């Protein structure tokens, strides 16, 4: 199968600082959930930021549907259909839930489309409808993350990249986030997930990518990675995965 | 009692003008994290544009407002392009731009002094010297008009920010730059636009100030401290906060002026600035977490 998003031999870093990524790559297959794992500082978040245009790519390339994305701004990459939900604070805390959702459709110019899609989302996530007029910053962590993930659906993206959606959430709520992600994937949205909790992430993924020291060490079916003794030893805390 | 009502009304009218003077500063800070120390100097530039239209062409200062706003918006765009655009990605942007804004203030002051001398000016349309009497209470017409127009402009700005697509983008950028960018907001354009709107507001304020206060090029030093106190009390970047701060402090200044003499009324703003920074640095409507970031 041809990759939807091909990242090849990427080198990138912050400002003029040292390269965080050096030789990172990933082939993203349409409609699948991909989980990037690796130790702290491996460059997982940096990889997502480089793909979405927040960081300058120094070497290598990012291709989406065969088209090169290097050098495009985040708003231009979003228009291509790649949506990024950064770690924490992805919301506008002093805007209401409704206003946050409308902002999600900022790049759509037709207000009626935005309103009808916002309405669809409110139907699908009753908690958001219930809190529609509440300021986003006053909701619980899980509700905020639900809003951030639901908001991506407004533009009907091809790819959604999630940077640690489980961060700071209670285990029960974490499961809800993965459930939302699975629903998104079942609708045909391709997911690229970065997860500190590697076991949890891989369990919910189809494909796993192991990143260390800024480069891709290994990628393969998530189940294989979960059961690979070397990877268990190094990155999954040595515990046998269920 | 009549005295209190009288002082309150005078304070509110003046507060309205201060609110307009501060709102552009607040908008620019909110979106760009630039403390634009040149803002009051640009208000004075707007006052001069209005003054010469009135003096040479006989155009009413209020009618000069759209012209002053447009002129200052253009000046704002030029200043943004020359001074504030290139370092926007720098982590030290706020620090760098304070110094640049200070330099811009000096340049504007020097240019105005060079062109128009340091003579005190004021426009005096008929309403500037008239007053309305309601029983024992008198309201200077000029201040009343300036206050009402100011609040109308701020109200329109509020509606624009609340309901328009661009307003959404501006508010979103103020609250979370990264998230706004990721949703398709072109940050550079929004920064430029906000700066232009902020400086256009300085132009509007300049027209109104031209008949409320005497002005000369160096007058802006007095105003920057007043404006900083309003903006800090309200919470940096919150326009609603700036309005509330302006009305509160102006009324208070009006009471203090009556009780202790006009010289002391300005002290209210400075004392408020210190107290707010000591006791509640995030201001009335600000967010503590924003201070950390």
């Amino acid at each position: 199968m041809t990759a939807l998003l091909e990242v090849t031999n990427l080198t990138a870093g912050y400002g003029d600082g040292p390269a965080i990524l050096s030789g990172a790559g990933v082939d993203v297959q349409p409609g699948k959930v991909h989980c990037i794992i690796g130790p702290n500082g491996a460059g997982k978040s940096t990889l997502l930021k480089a793909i979405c245009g927040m960081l300058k790519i120094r070497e290598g390339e990012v291709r989406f549907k065969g088209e090169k994305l290097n050098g495009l701004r985040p708003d231009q990459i979003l228009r291509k259909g790649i949506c990024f939900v950064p770690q924490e604070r992805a919301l506008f805390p002093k805007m209401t839930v409704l206003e946050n959702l409308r902002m999600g459709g900022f790049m759509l110019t037709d207000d009626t489309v935005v309103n009808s899609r916002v309405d669809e989302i409110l139907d699908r996530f009753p908690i958001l409808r219930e809190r529609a007029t509440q300021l986003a910053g006053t909701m619980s962590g899980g509700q905020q993350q639900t809003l951030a993930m639901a908001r991506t659906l407004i533009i009907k993206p091809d790819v959604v990249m999630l940077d640690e959606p489980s961060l700071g959430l209670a285990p029960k709520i974490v499961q809800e986030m993965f459930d939302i992600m699975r629903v998104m994937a079942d609708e045909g949205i391709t997911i690229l997930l970065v997860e500190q909790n590697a076991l949890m992430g891989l369990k919910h993924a189809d494909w796993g990518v192991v990143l260390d020291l800024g480069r891709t060490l290994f990628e393969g079916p998530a189940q294989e990675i979960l059961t690979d003794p070397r990877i268990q030893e190094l990155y999954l805390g040595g515990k046998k995965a269920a | 009692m009549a005295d209190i009502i009288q002082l309150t009304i005078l304070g509110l009218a003046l507060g309205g003008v201060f609110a307009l003077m501060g709102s552009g500063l607040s908008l620019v800070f909110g979106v760009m994290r630039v403390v634009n120390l040149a803002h009051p100097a640009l208000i004075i530039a707007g006052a001069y544009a209005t003054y010469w239209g009135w003096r040479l062409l006989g155009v009413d200062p209020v009618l000069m407002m759209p012209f002053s706003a447009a002129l200052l918006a253009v000046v704002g765009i030029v200043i943004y392009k020359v001074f504030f655009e290139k370092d926007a990605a720098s982590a030290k942007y706020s620090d760098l731009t304070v110094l640049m804004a200070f330099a811009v203030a000096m340049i504007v002051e020097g240019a105005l002094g060079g062109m128009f001398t340091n003579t005190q000016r004021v426009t005096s349309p008929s309403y500037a010297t008239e007053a309305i009497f309601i029983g024992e209470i008198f309201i200077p017409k000029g201040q009343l008009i300036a206050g009402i127009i100011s609040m109308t402009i701020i109200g329109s700005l509020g509606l624009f920010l609340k309901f328009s697509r661009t307003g959404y983008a501006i508010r979103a950028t103020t609250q979370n730059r990264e998230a706004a960018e990721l949703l398709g907001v072109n940050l550079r354009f929004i920064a430029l636009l906000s700066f232009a709107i902020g400086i256009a507001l300085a132009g509007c304020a300049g027209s109104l100030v031209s008949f409320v206060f005497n002005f000369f090029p160096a007058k802006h030093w007095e105003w920057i401290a007043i404006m900083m106190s309003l903006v800090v009390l309200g919470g940096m970047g919150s326009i609603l906060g700036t309005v509330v701060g302006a009305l509160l402090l102006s009324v208070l200044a009006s009471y203090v002026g009556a009780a202790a003499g006009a010289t002391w009324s300005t002290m209210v703003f400075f004392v408020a600035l210190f107290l707010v920074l000591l006791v509640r640095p995030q201001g009335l409507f600000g967010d503590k977490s924003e201070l950390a970031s």
Side-chain angles (χ1 to χ4, degrees):
Chain A
M1 202 169 3
T2 38
L4 180 66
L5 180 68
E6 289 168 85
V7 180
T8 333
N9 205 16
L10 215 60
T11 302
Y14 296 83
D16 300 325
I20 308 290
L21 297 176
S22 51
V26 55
D27 275 355
V28 177
Q29 305 298 335
K32 298 261 191 284
V33 176
H34 305 68
C35 181
I36 303 172
I37 64 165
N40 272 331
K44 304 184 294 292
S45 301
T46 311
L47 177 60
L48 299 191
K49 287 180 185 169
I51 294 173
C52 80
M54 288 172 74
L55 289 180
K56 210 176 144 206
I57 293 169
R58 296 178 191 170
E59 272 174 53
E61 62 177 26
V62 177
R63 278 185 182 276
F64 181 59
K65 296 179 180 168
E67 187 189 349
K68 203 169 166 183
L69 299 185
N70 294 41
L72 295 185
R73 291 190 311 261
D75 55 299
Q76 293 168 319
I77 289 174
L78 181 73
R79 266 166 233 277
K80 305 277 180 203
I82 302 176
C83 195
F84 175 43
V85 181
Q87 223 176 72
E88 297 180 281
R89 301 176 67 217
L91 299 175
F92 307 109
K94 288 182 185 168
M95 286 173 125
T96 63
V97 169
L98 204 58
E99 288 176 323
N100 266 279
L101 288 174
R102 289 213 183 104
M103 259 320 282
F106 180 76
M107 61 162 234
L108 305 170
T109 40
D110 188 342
D111 263 357
T112 45
V113 173
V114 175
N115 289 335
S116 77
R117 290 193 187 167
V118 166
D119 222 43
E120 278 169 32
I121 287 172
L122 292 177
D123 283 342
R124 286 180 55 180
F125 299 93
I127 183 71
L128 298 183
R129 185 177 288 289
E130 203 178 289
R131 313 227 161 208
T133 55
Q134 189 176 334
L135 296 184
T138 62
M139 294 200 301
S140 73
Q143 290 161 353
Q144 292 194 22
Q145 190 60 38
T146 304
L147 175 57
M149 288 167 76
R151 192 175 60 184
T152 62
L153 299 174
I154 293 179
I155 57 159
K156 299 196 184 292
D158 295 314
V159 178
V160 170
M161 303 194 292
L162 300 167
D163 194 355
E164 303 220 19
S166 70
L167 198 75
L169 300 181
K172 181 170 159 272
I173 311 290
V174 170
Q175 188 54 49
E176 281 177 29
M177 296 309 124
F178 282 117
D179 291 345
I180 295 176
M181 186 184 80
R182 182 39 74 184
V183 171
M184 290 162 80
D186 290 345
E187 281 177 18
I189 296 174
T190 306
I191 307 274
L192 192 52
L193 167 75
V194 159
E195 194 43 73
Q196 190 67 43
N197 184 343
L199 272 179
M200 188 86 178
L202 286 172
K203 270 185 212 164
H204 292 87
D206 305 303
W207 193 259
V209 180
V210 182
L211 207 66
D212 199 358
L213 298 170
R215 56 201 299 184
T216 305
L217 289 188
F218 180 80
E219 58 178 313
Q223 276 308 318
E224 264 179 41
I225 295 187
L226 271 171
T227 48
D228 186 310
R230 285 166 308 161
I231 288 170
Q232 276 185 25
E233 180 70 29
L234 284 168
Y235 303 111
L236 301 176
K239 278 182 255 163
K240 176 130 183 71
Chain B
M1 188 60 201
D3 280 355
I4 296 282
I5 297 173
Q6 170 78 67
L7 291 169
T8 308
I9 291 174
L10 289 177
L12 287 176
L14 201 58
V17 182
F18 281 143
L20 181 62
M21 292 165 76
S23 60
L25 186 67
S26 196
L27 177 70
V28 167
F29 177 78
V31 174
M32 298 170 58
R33 304 279 130 182
V34 167
V35 179
N36 184 16
L37 294 175
H39 196 79
L42 292 162
I43 292 177
I44 292 187
Y48 271 107
T50 307
Y51 174 83
W52 291 113
W54 171 77
R55 176 81 189 274
L56 299 176
L57 307 169
V59 184
D60 185 276
V62 172
L63 295 179
M64 278 301 289
M65 200 150 68
F67 171 76
S68 173
L71 178 72
L72 268 287
V74 172
V75 172
I77 290 171
V78 172
I79 290 176
Y80 175 81
K81 286 277 174 195
V82 174
F83 293 94
F84 297 130
E85 189 171 45
K86 70 173 171 20
D87 295 312
S90 162
K92 294 206 175 279
Y93 188 57
S94 287
D95 316 14
L96 284 170
T97 50
V98 166
L99 295 175
M100 282 196 277
F102 188 79
V104 172
M106 306 274 276
I107 292 168
V108 172
E109 181 191 336
L112 292 175
M115 288 188 287
F116 308 131
T117 75
N118 283 320
T119 314
Q120 298 225 15
R121 314 272 185 181
V122 67
T123 59
S124 40
S126 59
Y127 48 78
T129 50
E130 290 167 10
I132 299 169
F133 287 88
I134 306 168
E136 285 176 46
I137 297 162
F138 82 94
I139 310 166
K141 237 180 172 176
Q143 282 190 23
L144 182 70
I145 288 173
I148 290 173
I149 294 176
S150 294
M151 295 315 274
T152 310
I153 293 173
I154 294 173
S156 316
L157 174 70
L159 292 176
F160 165 74
L161 292 175
K162 180 81 186 158
F163 294 111
S164 74
R165 191 177 128 82
T166 313
Y168 265 75
I170 291 176
R171 280 192 294 146
T173 307
T174 304
Q175 294 176 32
N176 191 340
R177 299 175 67 79
E178 186 181 275
E181 187 176 32
L182 289 170
L183 293 177
V185 174
N186 181 339
L187 291 185
R188 293 187 108 179
F189 174 71
I190 288 298
L192 172 68
L193 183 73
S194 307
F195 199 76
I197 294 174
I199 306 306
L201 290 171
C204 293
S207 295
L208 300 178
V209 155
S210 78
F211 60 84
V212 176
F213 302 112
N214 289 332
F215 61 91
F216 54 96
K219 176 95 171 184
H220 68 109
W221 297 119
E222 196 180 305
W223 288 343
I224 188 64
I226 291 179
M227 265 176 256
M228 286 310 292
S229 69
L230 312 177
V231 171
V232 168
L233 173 62
M236 297 288 281
S238 159
I239 290 173
L240 175 67
T242 304
V243 174
V244 174
L247 296 177
L248 270 178
L249 290 184
S250 300
V251 170
L252 197 60
S254 167
Y255 296 156
V256 169
T263 332
W264 290 97
S265 72
T266 326
M267 280 292 287
V268 169
F269 297 98
F270 306 143
V271 171
L273 181 58
F274 282 118
L275 285 182
V276 173
L277 288 176
L278 283 173
V279 179
R280 193 181 159 87
Q282 75 270 32
L284 295 175
F285 294 84
D287 191 334
K288 229 174 189 167
S289 62
E290 282 169 18
L291 287 177
S293 65

